[in-house]
Amino acid sequence: MTCYDLHSHSIASDGALSPEDLIARAIAQGVDVLALTDHDGTEGLVAAQLAAQNTDLTLIPGVEISVTWAGGTVHILGLNVDANNATLQQGLMKMRMFRIERANKMAERLEKAGIAGALDGARKYSSDVMLGRLHFAQFLVEQGHAKNISDVFKRFLVRNKPGYVAGEWANLTDAVSWITAAGGQAVIAHPARYKMTATKLRRLITDFKEAGGVGFEVVSGRQHPEEVKNLARLAEQFELLASCGSDFHTPDNAWVELGNLAEFPKSCVPIWSTW
Ligand code: AMP
Ligand code: MN
Ligand code: MN
Ligand code: MN
């Protein structure tokens, strides 16, 4: 059976592996079709495409766009996007500028909380393309301010904590329209991770469909089987195409591995059936 993993990260965002190493690892893990979906940028795709050439792996060019919806953050994947599309790139450019501003403010806030050098410290973990909270988290762990990554997120990098900076990501309609303009399919990433009430999640899906979104990530890395069932039912009810992806970031997290996913629900229409 073909193994699809349609959600992963490289050093072009907050992943640990270069696009080349990511492709090699995906092949070693038995993935047949891999989507590289870095946060708010497509800089890793050229190298990934080159690395996938002359292998049995099919690379799906993708992106994961940060969206502010109903006062919270949700992630929208774009699958099979044309990375050369100007509408998409203009949209992503604004997000990169916001990330730079945000990183500066995060460092200032941390400095006020007595933690100096966070900007340079975080940069050491990034490839200069994009600076995100995970890079700051790595610096804070290195400096002994927290025992591990999930501890850092609880104590420093979320609302009401010293390293948190509020701000607006893309709006849902724009993000979906950039993806669609670039010939891609928009997919709601890891729907269970937002901890929304059922009513709110339905509202998100309704807004997303209205904007032209077509997909729902029913299977995600490290997910409870009950959750998969629940998401599969929602995909059916709302006639969304179902996607699956590990959201792999790093070999250091033993819980999330490329291609290592729960069984795809038989009741769902796979998004790749439209390819
Ligand atoms: P950003 O887009 O820069 O705000 O950072 C979001 C990223 O931080 C996510 O894509 C994850 O990679 C990472 N992240 C967020 N929360 C956690 C957490 N609790 N544990 C580990 N990584 C997290
Ligand atoms: Mn990430
Ligand atoms: Mn995400
Ligand atoms: Mn992701």
Side-chain angles (χ1 to χ4, degrees):
M1 225 168 55
T2 311
C3 175
Y4 289 85
D5 187 337
L6 303 178
H7 187 161
S8 70
H9 296 273
S10 76
I11 47 162
S13 64
D14 56 4
L17 301 183
S18 66
E20 292 84 354
D21 289 348
L22 183 77
I23 298 292
R25 191 177 182 93
I27 293 169
Q29 294 294 331
V31 175
D32 298 297
V33 182
L34 177 78
L36 175 59
T37 54
D38 275 311
H39 296 288
D40 308 322
T42 57
E43 289 86 345
L45 290 176
V46 171
Q49 201 81 65
L50 277 172
Q53 260 174 23
N54 306 318
T55 74
D56 292 333
L57 183 126
T58 301
L59 181 82
I60 303 297
V63 65
E64 180 174 21
I65 303 183
S66 313
V67 162
T68 300
W69 180 83
T73 302
V74 300
H75 286 171
I76 303 295
L77 297 168
L79 296 180
N80 274 313
V81 291
D82 169 11
N84 294 317
N85 180 270
T87 306
L88 175 65
Q89 289 304 336
Q90 273 159 23
L92 296 179
M93 181 101 72
K94 277 187 283 182
M95 308 200 55
R96 288 310 177 89
M97 308 227 293
F98 171 62
R99 278 190 177 277
I100 294 169
E101 270 172 50
R102 184 184 70 151
N104 285 318
K105 285 189 194 154
M106 282 172 71
E108 279 168 29
R109 300 247 171 120
L110 288 168
E111 177 109 44
K112 282 191 191 128
I115 299 168
L119 193 59
D120 286 338
R123 278 209 187 105
K124 274 194 315 203
Y125 291 97
S126 96
S127 64
D128 279 351
V129 180
M130 170 267 194
L131 208 48
R133 279 187 296 164
L134 192 54
H135 302 120
F136 281 88
Q138 286 167 290
F139 165 73
L140 290 166
V141 172
E142 166 208 297
Q143 295 290 304
H145 296 290
K147 61 178 192 296
N148 57 39
I149 297 290
S150 85
D151 192 37
V152 179
F153 272 93
K154 279 186 209 127
R155 292 176 39 217
F156 291 96
L157 303 177
V158 292
R159 201 169 284 174
N160 302 320
K161 302 293 172 180
Y164 182 73
V165 174
E168 287 277 305
W169 295 112
N171 78 48
L172 182 63
T173 312
D174 287 348
V176 173
S177 74
W178 302 339
I179 290 166
T180 311
Q185 290 169 306
V187 176
I188 298 178
H190 42 62
R193 218 181 293 163
Y194 311 125
K195 308 252 184 312
M196 285 179 191
T197 61
T199 310
K200 193 167 175 186
L201 187 53
R202 284 166 183 276
R203 200 150 63 76
L204 171 64
I205 297 173
T206 306
D207 286 1
F208 171 73
K209 283 197 73 167
E210 221 166 283
V214 296
F216 204 54
E217 195 174 56
V218 162
V219 179
S220 181
R222 203 183 181 189
Q223 202 179 18
H224 198 276
E226 255 333 287
E227 243 162 37
V228 178
K229 268 195 218 162
N230 180 29
L231 297 178
R233 260 194 305 271
L234 277 170
E236 277 174 75
Q237 274 170 16
F238 284 88
E239 296 183 340
L240 288 166
L241 299 165
S243 187
C244 62
S246 62
D247 201 5
F248 177 86
H249 281 72
T250 170
D252 292 343
N253 181 353
W255 306 103
V256 176
E257 183 52 83
L258 288 164
N260 194 351
L261 289 164
E263 200 183 330
F264 194 84
K266 292 187 179 59
S267 58
C268 286
V269 182
I271 193 159
W272 54 87
S273 68
T274 65
W275 297 350

